[in-house]
Amino acid sequence: MAVEHHAERRHDDPPHQDRLGDERVDHRFKALPPDAEGLTVAALAAERRSLFTGGFTTPVLALSAESVEHNLALLETYSERHGLAFAPHGKTSMSPQLFDRQVARGAWGITAAVPHQARVYRAFGVRRIFLANELVDAAALRWLAAELDRDPGFRFLCYVDSVRGVELMDEALRDAGATRPVDVVVELGAGEGARTGARTEADCAAVADAVAAVTTLRLAGVAGYEGEVPSPDTGRVGAYLRRLTALAARFDGEGRFGGAEGSAGPGGPEEIVISAGGSAWFDTVAEVFGEIPALSRPVLKLLRSGAYVSHDNGHYRRVTPFNRIPEEGSLQPAFRLWAQVVSRPSPGQAFVNAGKRDAPYDIDLPEPQAVRDARTGEIRPATGITVTGLSDQHGWLATEPGADLEVGDWVGMGLSHPCTTFDKWQLIPLVEADGTVTDFIRTFF
């Protein structure tokens, strides 16, 4: 029987876009036009100003409208083609507007890493949350118990990977007077020296036994993160994922999932959750999850890749699975950081006014791609220009002989690592190919 996993919005959900659009433009938001002070975000977007001539100050981060739409559509069709439900990791953008678009593009729900993120999601009406961590914070569990009680349609799952974690969750939920059990998935670690997760199948069984011994939790499935497999390659990642799916089949054969028939609670028919999938190996996840045998209940094959929305010009450009499966499509880098040349002290050196506060640098330095001439407005390739370092508010550029660059020019740079790009900007212009700003993406880090 086919299972429908698309999230739905209730009629009484808050008008998310209206709430964000009603916010006033002021000093809190970098790069916005000074003459827009006091306008609402929606009013400024309606003016459809040019990023280059509409009063925006540098540095300014631009998000390509066309690339975002392309990337959203690509992962929607990829997930459907491979029979995967999709809960993209929201930590990448922390943007309710992008969450809405992901759900509209078929996402089952949104993945979180920490309680704060889940609270943001709920404030903006996300109905299904997968928290990819063991949740042992008593204050957060009190909030969760109240939220589950308040909204019978709210579906929540989180990891468990230790008997002690189960004990802490049970104690906090009992103290909170929780009336709905919290659905949990046992996390199988990706190997010795990897990040979180019970290290062996025996350890996972002990955690599952601890869940079965309490009434505040219900075992809903198994999960893991293949991105932490040591020295990953297709073979090692596939072997780990097959351990994960075999664990699910074993637990199912032992009758560990779901409790009494029909007791799975809100969120659709009773199902077994099997979840994995970062942004580097989702092709292997799709392959292995496609091999899952029939189990006693429908299986929710839940993919969690999040970086795809913006993709990038560095790390994810190198590791995306679409490099291995080009016949399935390709993602498009959506970010470009524009900064202005503020010093040209020598023929081999220049400085722009964007640095560590504006651009990610945890994996790669920004990559100059384009120069907008301050005299003519012409945009040309950034030939012979390299970023060699970042200070807090300066980018260090090395310029080869003949590089055409002078004070006042704008330099457009590609970026590496979406997660540390989004979190430096609270309001990001969404820009069409001709430079027209059509909207602003609000983030909540």
Side-chain angles (χ1 to χ4, degrees):
M1 179 178 65
V3 181
E4 177 61 58
H5 296 304
H6 290 195
E8 297 178 358
R9 183 166 298 123
R10 297 177 302 172
H11 294 297
D12 60 344
D13 278 345
H16 309 153
Q17 302 290 353
D18 289 349
R19 289 172 58 190
L20 295 170
D22 288 343
E23 194 160 20
R24 295 285 173 180
V25 172
D26 60 23
H27 59 275
R28 293 171 295 164
F29 305 118
K30 295 192 289 188
L32 298 194
D35 66 352
E37 180 90 14
L39 292 178
T40 65
V41 171
L44 179 57
E47 293 184 357
R48 295 179 61 85
R49 298 192 186 195
S50 167
L51 184 75
F52 304 112
T53 62
F56 291 86
T57 64
T58 56
V60 57
L61 180 67
L63 188 63
S64 164
E66 293 87 355
S67 294
V68 167
E69 178 59 26
H70 169 86
N71 295 343
L72 289 168
L74 181 60
L75 260 291
E76 177 188 23
T77 57
Y78 181 87
S79 299
E80 290 177 348
R81 186 181 306 124
H82 292 280
L84 301 169
F86 192 27
H89 212 314
K91 70 176 174 61
T92 298
S93 72
M94 288 305 296
S95 169
Q97 292 152 287
L98 294 179
F99 300 161
D100 279 353
R101 292 181 64 176
Q102 288 169 315
V103 170
R105 284 290 190 174
W108 172 92
I110 306 294
T111 296
V114 293
H116 159 71
Q117 293 167 357
R119 291 185 61 202
V120 172
Y121 300 178
R122 289 299 290 162
F124 287 92
V126 175
R127 304 290 306 285
R128 294 172 178 157
I129 297 174
F130 185 103
L131 196 147
N133 257 326
E134 187 168 67
L135 181 58
V136 295
D137 184 310
L141 287 161
R142 285 195 297 272
W143 169 82
L144 175 61
E147 195 70 5
L148 288 166
D149 288 348
R150 184 187 68 79
D151 183 0
F154 173 36
R155 181 92 191 270
F156 178 90
L157 299 101
C158 72
Y159 284 176
V160 286
D161 78 348
S162 65
V163 172
R164 176 57 176 157
V166 170
E167 293 171 350
L168 290 169
M169 292 184 75
D170 176 57
E171 179 182 355
L173 290 168
R174 283 189 290 105
D175 289 347
T179 60
R180 283 178 58 188
V182 172
D183 283 341
V184 295
V185 292
V186 174
E187 183 193 8
L188 173 66
E192 288 301 323
R195 201 162 62 188
T196 56
R199 288 305 193 241
T200 68
E201 283 77 358
D203 293 338
C204 289
V207 175
D209 287 341
V211 171
V214 302
T215 59
T216 55
L217 305 177
R218 179 172 51 223
L219 187 63
V222 299
Y225 176 48
E226 75 291 340
E228 283 291 313
V229 169
S231 303
D233 59 24
T234 301
R236 291 186 181 94
V237 170
Y240 163 70
L241 290 168
R242 289 183 176 90
R243 286 180 61 202
L244 184 67
T245 58
L247 181 66
R250 170 187 161 186
F251 279 5
D252 184 46
E254 294 169 349
R256 292 180 179 273
F257 292 128
E261 185 69 25
S263 68
E270 192 169 356
E271 59 199 4
I272 295 168
V273 178
I274 306 178
S275 179
S279 295
W281 296 100
F282 56 72
D283 57 332
T284 310
V285 173
E287 177 187 349
V288 174
F289 280 17
E291 301 168 356
I292 295 172
L295 301 182
S296 66
R297 296 175 172 87
V299 176
L300 181 70
K301 302 173 184 179
L302 197 60
L303 182 69
R304 306 193 307 270
S305 312
Y308 77 101
V309 175
S310 66
H311 197 46
D312 73 5
N313 285 105
H315 176 68
Y316 285 106
R317 179 177 60 187
R318 294 189 295 269
V319 305
T320 176
F322 288 115
N323 291 336
R324 296 186 291 272
I325 49 171
E327 68 278 6
E328 300 240 32
S330 61
L331 294 167
Q332 297 177 0
F335 276 129
R336 179 167 283 180
L337 177 65
W338 288 96
Q340 195 165 30
V341 179
V342 294
S343 181
R344 189 77 158 98
S346 71
Q349 193 174 40
F351 291 87
V352 292
N353 61 349
K356 293 179 180 179
R357 303 298 177 91
D358 312 297
Y361 56 94
D362 53 317
I363 299 179
D364 301 296
L365 291 172
E367 175 186 282
Q369 297 175 329
V371 174
R372 186 176 188 276
D373 192 286
R375 298 178 186 273
T376 67
E378 175 192 2
I379 294 178
R380 60 182 181 270
T383 304
I385 304 171
T386 306
V387 176
T388 60
L390 296 176
S391 301
D392 275 0
Q393 302 289 182
H394 289 90
W396 296 59
L397 306 186
T399 55
E400 297 177 4
D404 187 8
L405 195 66
E406 66 175 347
V407 170
D409 289 346
W410 285 28
V411 179
M413 295 173 283
L415 304 174
S416 180
H417 198 186
C419 300
T420 49
T421 302
F422 276 106
D423 70 6
K424 294 179 182 296
W425 295 83
Q426 291 182 290
L427 202 61
I428 304 169
L430 189 68
V431 184
E432 293 182 341
D434 66 357
T436 301
V437 176
T438 61
D439 202 355
F440 296 87
I441 302 300
R442 184 74 157 92
T443 66
F444 293 85
F445 284 95

